[in-house]
Amino acid sequence: MEDKLVIRGIEFKSRLWVGTGKYKDFIETKEAIEVSGADVVTVAVRRVNVIDRKSENLLDYIDPKRYKILPNTAGCYTVEDALRYSRLAREAGISDFIKLEVIGDEKTLFPDVCGLLKATEILAKEGFIVFPYTNDDPIIAKRLVDAGAAAVMPLAAPIGSGLGIRNPYNMKIILEQATVPVIVDAGVGTASDVAIAMELGCDGVLLNTAIAGAKDPIAMAGAMKHAVIAGRLAYKAGRIPKKLYATASSPIEGML
């Protein structure tokens, strides 16, 4: 109960953060978020109406007093666009948080790390709490921290791929050198992927498609909630070492 996620002095109730895209409607979005237990909800400023309060608005279904709204710059391919939508979100009174995406390739949706570093530095200096979506490169992760990132968000695999963590070894290096929280972002497909991320020692997981694209999004939201909890508990408990040969689970000393 005391093992809480704290970033820049802000306490988070859940280590599972969720997105709002790809659901059939806002009602399903709301229900899935509630079942997930998440208290951080990310929204794409370019794609989801959260600024114009005169028309149907996602925030009519997701109470900003109950959830921490994390605007993101999904769909931004230039530093200038990412900066513009970050500032729009803050000016609209949504949040000083920003999940920063500067996409470098339309097919893979991998980040433009040069642009990402530049945008992170600018926004951090402007007082934003920056959560940059990056690849699983330990060097870039370190440089993002140096640029002012409040956390780093390496991908497990390409966005929406559902492949799970493709390079756990890079992830371990990022975790070993991290001086800020590490939150896996993108590419998980099911509860076991989430548990693996948490067992590696990641501080949290942000996902969207794995829930919204499931056959039963509400049930999957519940599965993800429990996977985060189980994975974190397993990490804290400390797993047994892996061995090539069997080891008897019952002692033979003292037996006739």
Side-chain angles (χ1 to χ4, degrees), residues 220-236:
M220 185 61 79
M224 296 304 192
K225 173 184 177 178
H226 293 294
V228 165
I229 294 170
R232 182 65 179 179
L233 283 173
Y235 168 72
K236 297 290 287 186

Side-chain angles (χ1 to χ4, degrees), residues 13 62-69:
K13 296 178 182 178
I62 301 173
D63 185 359
K65 294 179 181 178
R66 179 178 176 184
Y67 299 101
K68 296 177 178 67
I69 306 300

Side-chain angles (χ1 to χ4, degrees), residues 239-249:
R239 66 157 293 141
I240 64 171
K242 296 180 180 181
K243 297 179 181 180
L244 181 61
Y245 296 103
T247 303
S249 59

